[in-house]
Amino acid sequence: MTTIDDDTLPQASGRAKASPQSGSSRLAALGAFLRAGAVFILLAALVVGFTIAEPAFINIANLMSILQAVSVVAILGAGVTVTLAVGGFDLSIGAVAASSVMAASYAMIVWRLDAYATVPLVLAFGALVGLVNAFLIVRLKVPDLLATLAMMFLLSGLQLIPTAGRSISAGLTLPDGSKATGAYDPTFLLIGRYSIFGTLPVAVVLMAVVAVALFILTERTRIGRLLFATGGNEVATRLAGASTVRLKTLAYVLSGTLASLGGIVIAARVGRGDVSSGGSLLMDSVAAALIGFAVLNLRRPNVLGTIAGAVFVGVLLNGLTMLNAPYYTQDFVKGAVLVGALALTYGLGRSNP
């Protein structure tokens, strides 16, 4: 008669239980992979879908046009990301960018400055605004949302005063009745209109440089680790010997400077100081930064995620435009994408206990 050794029963039982556990672990790994790469998977799906529906979408000129269109939003979003890293928020970036458009135009049209004087002047203006924001928030202890909201209203009104509310272009009539005799420097216009080798726009190169520089700063340096530590636990960071005052000041100065850089790109692209410029930049850049939370399932501010978020929205809107979708649906689409990204990050991306 065949007998079964009792010692083999636990082993058999263990083998029987190993299969479901290994299967669940594989499903968990697959789920983690899908959550980490969800934005990139959806981006690839959008590109394939739009290419099938409209073959001209995949044309290199159109792809460069998409990147050029999102470059300003990505640059501003990178500034928002840095302030989010220290636990703050900058609502003034759209107004800083719009004021920078007006400042650059005023410097060349009225003051007759060239590009080499205008660009540093406008960047210094953005850095100064960031410094004032930091002073209000860090020294005077004004909540970041209130301080930057007040700065937004201040700049929105200030940019209209020198020209009595008029846009700036060649031949501008000044409030005293005289006419401006300056013009846009052709070298300055190259920033927004020139393409390297006839293919790669300068604005896209600037976006890439900002992305790489901030990625190295935030992810590969001690300063970057301290920025995130400040946002995570400011008291602990201070007790560890780091100056949270300097770190927060750095974040807001970077945000203001990048906003001014975005304004320079806009001014160089349109060739005039439009009083309505920058209207949607705040919401678009914030959306890009928040979508970036879902990239690689990091669930925290990260520069490359912000760039990916801006490109994702740009591809989506460009594809819908090529398919003749009504323009008034764009805000709805951006809102739906943002809601989906946040749900993915904070809902579906939550680990099971």
Side-chain angles (χ1 to χ4, degrees), residues 46 49-57 315-327:
L46 284 177
F50 287 139
T51 301
I52 294 174
E54 179 54 69
F57 175 84
V315 167
L316 184 61
L317 296 182
N318 180 271
L320 292 176
T321 301
M322 294 190 72
L323 295 179
N324 296 320
Y327 73 91

Side-chain angles (χ1 to χ4, degrees), residues 128-212:
L128 177 62
V129 173
L131 195 61
V132 173
N133 281 336
F135 177 77
L136 294 173
I137 295 167
V138 177
R139 294 297 185 185
L140 301 185
K141 305 300 181 183
V142 179
D144 52 351
L145 291 178
L146 297 181
T148 55
L149 181 66
M151 182 61 67
M152 179 183 73
F153 284 118
L154 176 65
L155 293 176
S156 297
L158 179 62
Q159 67 178 346
L160 303 177
I161 293 176
T163 62
R166 291 188 290 269
S167 296
I168 301 176
S169 58
L172 169 71
T173 301
L174 300 174
D176 61 3
S178 62
K179 285 188 176 295
T181 57
Y184 263 84
D185 186 345
T187 303
F188 181 86
L189 296 176
L190 294 178
I191 299 174
R193 300 178 181 181
Y194 181 72
S195 294
I196 301 173
F197 303 119
T199 303
L200 184 62
V202 173
V204 177
V205 175
L206 290 176
M207 177 183 70
V209 170
V210 168
V212 172

Side-chain angles (χ1 to χ4, degrees), residues 51-135:
T51 301
I52 294 174
E54 179 54 69
F57 175 84
I58 202 65
N59 185 284
I60 186 64
N62 185 58
L63 295 179
M64 288 297 107
S65 175
I66 293 173
L67 292 178
Q68 185 176 29
V70 305
S71 59
V72 173
V73 171
I75 291 172
L76 267 66
V80 173
T81 302
V82 178
T83 60
L84 289 173
V86 297
F89 199 83
D90 190 354
L91 288 175
S92 67
I93 54 167
V96 174
S99 298
S100 297
V101 174
M102 298 294 285
S105 302
Y106 196 89
M108 288 182 284
I109 299 295
V110 180
W111 292 346
R112 304 179 66 179
L113 299 180
D114 61 13
Y116 301 102
T118 298
V119 171
L121 179 66
V122 175
L123 291 177
F125 164 75
L128 177 62
V129 173
L131 195 61
V132 173
N133 281 336
F135 177 77

Side-chain angles (χ1 to χ4, degrees), residues 23-38:
S24 62
S25 64
R26 284 195 295 268
L27 288 176
L30 177 61
F33 171 77
L34 291 177
R35 287 192 297 270

Side-chain angles (χ1 to χ4, degrees), residues 17 23-24 56 79 101 166 197 199 201 203 234 237 239-240 242 244 265 293 298 322 331 341 348:
K17 292 179 180 179
S24 62
V101 174
R166 291 188 290 269
F197 303 119
T199 303
E234 183 176 347
T237 306
L239 293 176
T244 57
V265 174
F293 276 56
L298 292 178
M322 294 190 72
D331 287 339
L348 301 177

